[in-house]
Amino acid sequence: METISLSAAPPETISPDLRCKILIIGGGAGGISVAAALKRQRPDLDIVVVDPSERHFYQPGWTLVGAGVKTPASTMRLEKNVIPKGVRWLQTDAASFVPDANLVRLGNGQIIAYDYLVVAPGLKLEWDKVEGLRETLGRNNVCSNYTFETASYTFECVKAFKGGTAVFTQPPMPIKCAGAPQKVLYMTADYLRRHKRLADTRLEFCLAGDVLFGVPFFVPILQKTMQDYGANVNFKHTLTAVDGPGRKAFFKVVDSEGKTSEKIITFDMLHVTPPQGPVDVLRVSPLANEAGWLDVDPQTLRHKTYANVFGIGDAMGTTNAKTAAAVRMQVPVVVGNLLAALDGKEMKQVYDGYGACPLTVAYGKIVLAEFLYGGKVAPSFPLDPRVPSRFSWFLKTQVMPMLYWHQMLGGYKFDVGHRERTYSS
Ligand SMILES: Cc1cc2nc3c(=O)[nH]c(=O)nc-3n(C[C@H](O)[C@H](O)[C@H](O)COP(=O)(O)OP(=O)(O)OC[C@H]3O[C@@H](n4cnc5c(N)ncnc54)[C@H](O)[C@@H]3O)c2cc1C
C-alpha cells in the first residue's frame, strides 16, 4: 500500500487553501447531494469537492437512452454547474487516503487536509476483465447502457436488428443498478415485438449468478416477463471474452456440480453489463474492508474505524442496492450524523437500507421494486409493486430526473414515505 511520509508533508505546512472542514471525494450523485445539503443547513461550512470529471451524469437515464426514450444530453450537466454555491471544487482525483493524518493526496500532487471526510467516488467499471471487450464496444453490434458514450449505440443496434440472436449479460454482484442488465432486454424485446421482429429473435439472458433478482418477492413477475418475451435465462454464465468482428461471446459456465466449461454464443447483438468493483484508490486504502469497499457502519454510514469519515453511494460495502435512490435516502443520514459529530452530539440518523429499481418491463410499464436491508419490500405508494404500472413509468421518465437535478442536487430532502408492507402471494 502506498503511504505518505508525514515528515515530508506535515499538516502545518499545508497552505490554507488546501485545508478544509469537510472534504468530499467524488462529485457524483452522492458527493454533490451531500455538499448541497450541508451548505443548505450550514452556509458557513468550508467544503471542498474533489472530482476530475468535467461532466456530471444522471446515470438512471441511460436505460431510457438505450431504448430511444431520452437523449444522452438530457442525462448530462457540466460539473461546474452542479457544484453548490460556496463549495470549492478541485478538478483532480484522490490518489491516496491517509486517514491517520486526516490527509488525502491528490492526483495533481497536492495534499489536502480535512477535519471530516466524505468518501463518494462511486465504483469502477472493469471493462478489461472481459478480453476483447474494450476494443469492440460501440462497434460490431456490441453495446452497453453503462456509459454515457455507448448508451445511444444500444438503440442503434436495436433499430438495426433484423432478427437472430440477441444476448444480454450480467456480471457477478455487486453492480450498480442490479436490474439494469435485464431492463435493457425487456425494452429491446418490447421494441422488437412492436416492430414484428420478436418472432425471428432468440433472446439470451446470461447472468453470472443464480437468481434473476436479489429480492425474492419480485422474482415471479420478472420470470413471467422473461417467459412472455420468450427469453432464455442462463444462470452461472460469466462473460469472459468477446470477438466483435466474429460476433462471438465466450462464457465460463458452472454446472450444478460445480464443474466449469466454456460456452460460445454467436450473436447478432450483444449488450454487455461490465464487471464492477471498488475504485483503486479506495481498494488499497486503510478505509477499505476486505473486499475493497468503504468499511462503514450500515446504519450510521460512519466509518467503522475512523470516526471523522463518512461514506455515501456505490463505494460503500453495505448490502443495499447500489442506486441513486439509495443515495437519496443516505444523504440526510450522512448530513445529520456528520453535523452531530461536528457538534459533539449523539448521531441519531439511521439508514434503513432503502434502494429502488424501476424495472422497465415494457415501454410505458414499470415494476417499481423498492426495498430495505434484508430484501424487505417497502413501497412508497399503497399499490402492489409487482403489477407493472404506467404511473411508475411516468415517475421514472418525467418526475425523477427533475427531482434529481433540482431537489437532490440542490440539497433538498424528498421522500414520499416508503414503508415496509406485506402482500399476499
Ligand atoms: C445503466 C445504469 C442504470 C441505472 N439505473 C438506475 C435507476 O434506475 N435508479 C437508480 O436509483 N439508480 C440507477 N443507477 C445507479 C446510480 O446511477 C448510481 O447508483 C449512483 O450514480 C451512485 O452515486 P455515487 O455518487 O456513489 O457515484 P457516481 O454518481 O458514479 O459518482 C462518482 C463520482 O466520483 C468521481 N470519482 C471517481 N474516482 C474518483 C477519485 N479517485 N477521486 C475523485 N473523484 C472520483 C467520478 O468522476 C464521479 O463523478 C443506474 C446506473 C447505471 C450505470
Side-chain angles (χ1 to χ4, degrees):
M1 184 189 310
E2 193 186 10
T3 54
I4 290 176
S5 156
L6 283 183
S7 58
E12 57 271 20
T13 65
I14 293 174
S15 67
D17 60 327
L18 286 173
R19 291 173 180 281
C20 58
K21 184 57 97 185
I22 297 170
L23 176 62
I24 301 176
I25 301 300
I32 295 298
S33 304
V34 164
L38 283 168
K39 264 288 174 198
R40 203 157 281 290
Q41 294 198 29
R42 300 264 171 101
D44 295 337
L45 267 184
D46 174 29
I47 304 174
V48 170
V49 170
V50 170
D51 194 312
S53 179
E54 287 278 342
R55 299 172 301 172
H56 180 109
F57 299 111
Y58 178 60
Q59 300 169 40
W62 292 346
T63 296
L64 299 173
V65 172
V69 176
K70 295 272 177 188
T71 61
S74 71
T75 68
M76 193 275 282
R77 300 276 190 280
L78 291 180
E79 183 74 12
K80 66 177 182 194
N81 294 339
V82 299
I83 299 286
K85 221 168 158 208
V87 169
R88 289 187 282 150
W89 172 33
L90 298 182
Q91 194 181 359
T92 181
D93 57 342
S96 57
F97 291 104
V98 194
D100 288 312
N102 299 329
L103 297 174
V104 173
R105 200 179 81 188
L106 304 176
N108 63 8
Q110 292 179 316
I111 292 169
I112 185 161
Y114 58 81
D115 289 350
Y116 288 86
L117 175 68
V118 179
V119 181
L123 54 66
K124 181 181 171 193
L125 301 177
E126 301 182 308
W127 301 102
D128 294 329
K129 280 197 169 169
V130 179
E131 201 186 318
L133 176 57
R134 205 184 272 280
E135 296 88 297
T136 194
L137 186 64
R139 292 185 291 146
N140 303 314
N141 298 345
V142 179
C143 55
S144 179
N145 284 348
Y146 269 74
T147 75
F148 176 76
E149 285 74 19
T150 56
S152 53
Y153 184 61
T154 302
F155 192 51
E156 282 179 39
C157 291
V158 176
K159 281 188 296 182
F161 189 82
K162 298 279 179 266
T165 303
V167 180
F168 302 81
T169 72
Q170 178 176 300
M173 295 292 145
I175 62 170
K176 54 181 158 185
C177 195
Q182 59 189 282
K183 291 187 217 178
V184 56
L185 182 150
Y186 302 141
M187 297 306 279
T188 302
D190 191 30
Y191 183 94
L192 295 176
R193 186 168 59 188
R194 285 162 191 258
H195 290 80
K196 316 243 177 301
R197 280 183 252 147
L198 189 59
D200 302 325
T201 303
R202 182 179 140 214
L203 293 167
E204 300 287 348
F205 187 54
C206 298
L207 65 167
D210 54 8
V211 287
L212 192 49
F213 195 68
V215 182
F217 179 77
F218 293 100
V219 169
I221 176 63
L222 298 175
Q223 273 171 339
K224 181 175 176 308
T225 307
M226 287 285 182
Q227 272 164 18
D228 287 351
Y229 286 125
N232 301 314
V233 179
N234 307 285
F235 295 112
K236 303 222 172 208
H237 280 51
T238 305
L239 184 70
T240 55
V242 180
D243 169 4
R247 305 284 198 275
K248 285 187 172 50
F250 298 77
F251 293 89
K252 185 183 91 181
V253 180
V254 183
D255 70 13
S256 55
E257 281 151 22
K259 287 199 197 110
T260 60
S261 59
E262 186 182 64
K263 180 166 160 184
I264 303 172
I265 303 182
T266 305
F267 62 82
D268 296 285
M269 169 185 162
L270 172 67
H271 179 276
V272 180
T273 298
Q276 297 167 40
V279 296
D280 294 334
V281 60
L282 172 62
R283 186 174 48 79
V284 301
S285 82
L287 298 174
N289 65 17
E290 277 187 3
W293 302 98
L294 188 71
D295 197 18
V296 294
D297 176 90
Q299 266 83 39
T300 64
L301 305 185
R302 177 154 86 167
H303 197 271
K304 287 184 183 163
T305 310
Y306 298 97
N308 62 341
V309 178
F310 291 80
I312 189 160
D314 296 348
M316 296 194 295
T318 46
T319 56
N320 59 276
K322 293 187 186 301
T323 58
V327 169
R328 177 163 62 85
M329 300 313 299
Q330 291 161 1
V331 174
V333 176
V334 172
V335 169
N337 288 342
L338 193 155
L339 291 177
L342 200 133
D343 296 340
K345 293 188 177 150
E346 189 192 341
M347 295 190 302
K348 294 205 171 136
Q349 298 299 316
V350 171
Y351 173 53
D352 58 10
Y354 177 85
C357 188
L359 292 140
T360 51
V361 291
Y363 282 83
K365 291 256 174 89
I366 277 181
V367 168
L368 182 54
E370 295 175 277
F371 41 88
L372 312 176
Y373 282 137
K376 293 176 193 148
V377 181
S380 299
F381 304 97
L383 306 165
D384 186 333
R386 292 166 296 190
V387 178
S389 138
R390 288 196 177 278
F391 172 65
S392 297
W393 176 266
F394 173 70
L395 284 181
K396 162 98 183 152
T397 55
Q398 308 299 324
V399 181
M400 295 314 289
M402 202 172 63
L403 289 178
Y404 180 81
W405 294 117
H406 301 293
Q407 298 291 116
M408 196 164 143
L409 297 192
Y412 298 101
K413 184 179 170 186
F414 66 96
D415 174 26
V416 284
H418 66 271
R419 67 177 175 82
E420 197 180 334
R421 299 175 208 256
T422 49
Y423 297 85
S424 54
S425 49

